[in-house]
Amino acid sequence: MSYAIIGFGAVGQALARAFARRNIEVAVASRRPPEALAPQARAIGPTVVAKSLRDALKADTIILAVPFGEHREVANALPSWKGKTVIDAMNTFGVPPEELDGLPSSAFVAKAFTGAKLVKGFNHLVAATLAADPIVEGVHRVAFLSSDDEDAIAPVADLAKQLGFAPVKLGKLNEGGALVHARGRTWGQLIFQDLFKKEQ
């Protein structure tokens, strides 16, 4: 299985550190040419390899770590996404919910990546936490995963375990997965609070 991280900002670099910590090879790419990314990639670790977007997208599993508005640009870089697994690590902070056609953000993203198996994951941790060792005093930090494709979650859960996380499957994107989708400028804790209020 081959992996690539598209986007090399704070989240992309944090994910690259997670791969490097476990000596798992991962390609990294962004709008910038690979030679611009190479020094930082090498500083993170020898298994982090800067590539062009075209070459990075040859990987089996693609992790999206670009700003939400740029996901279509990545999607348009391949004529077909059939056979690929796309892990959506993006969030939609500041994006009005009405711009998502009433869908959870990852379901909206999935429409652009026709043919791909899409899994929401690794988006609920801030970059600094994502970059840190996920094993703290013998306890594994959780990685929430959700997908409308049941077959897609298992290999991503295996990857999460390899990276040191404890994967928790939340089900479909519009069910448990909705708990880890940003809504406008709200995420996580406030969403849970909203759900609890509705149940009372």
Side-chain angles (χ1 to χ4, degrees):
M1 185 70 69
S2 54
Y3 303 99
I5 300 166
I6 309 303
F8 205 50
V11 172
Q13 290 183 34
L15 286 164
R17 291 183 187 281
F19 278 83
R21 189 181 300 113
R22 297 291 172 152
N23 294 312
I24 301 172
E25 184 169 322
V26 64
V28 295
S30 76
R31 284 180 166 180
R32 293 181 290 161
E35 54 269 23
L37 308 182
Q40 184 59 38
R42 285 194 297 267
I44 292 173
T47 62
V48 181
V49 182
K51 293 186 178 182
S52 66
L53 179 61
R54 177 175 294 189
D55 287 340
L57 292 181
K58 293 177 182 177
D60 303 308
T61 299
I62 310 296
I63 305 175
L64 293 177
V66 297
F68 185 80
E70 296 178 15
H71 75 270
R72 288 191 188 89
E73 185 177 333
V74 178
N76 291 336
L78 282 184
S80 172
W81 286 85
K82 188 175 182 179
K84 302 281 188 185
T85 295
V86 174
I87 301 174
D88 177 10
M90 303 180 296
N91 277 311
T92 55
F93 291 122
V95 178
E98 55 270 19
E99 290 188 14
L100 302 178
D101 298 333
L103 297 171
S105 61
S106 288
F108 184 84
V109 170
K111 296 195 301 181
F113 292 84
T114 306
K117 295 180 178 181
L118 189 134
V119 178
K120 186 72 171 180
F122 302 106
N123 68 301
H124 65 289
L125 299 171
V126 297
T129 302
L130 192 59
D133 191 334
I135 304 175
V136 182
E137 296 182 359
V139 178
H140 294 252
R141 187 169 282 120
V142 164
F144 292 117
L145 305 174
S146 58
S147 179
D148 288 341
D149 189 326
E150 292 184 8
D151 295 335
I153 289 188
V156 177
D158 288 342
L159 172 62
K161 289 178 183 177
Q162 290 181 58
L163 296 177
F165 293 90
V168 173
K169 301 174 185 178
L170 295 179
K172 293 185 177 181
L173 297 173
N174 67 345
E175 297 174 344
L179 297 175
V180 290
H181 290 260
R183 298 176 184 174
R185 298 188 179 279
T186 304
W187 186 94
Q189 182 179 2
L190 293 179
I191 293 174
F192 279 105
Q193 289 175 353
D194 182 53
L195 288 174
F196 291 146
K197 287 178 182 177
K198 288 179 179 178
E199 290 177 357
Q200 291 175 349

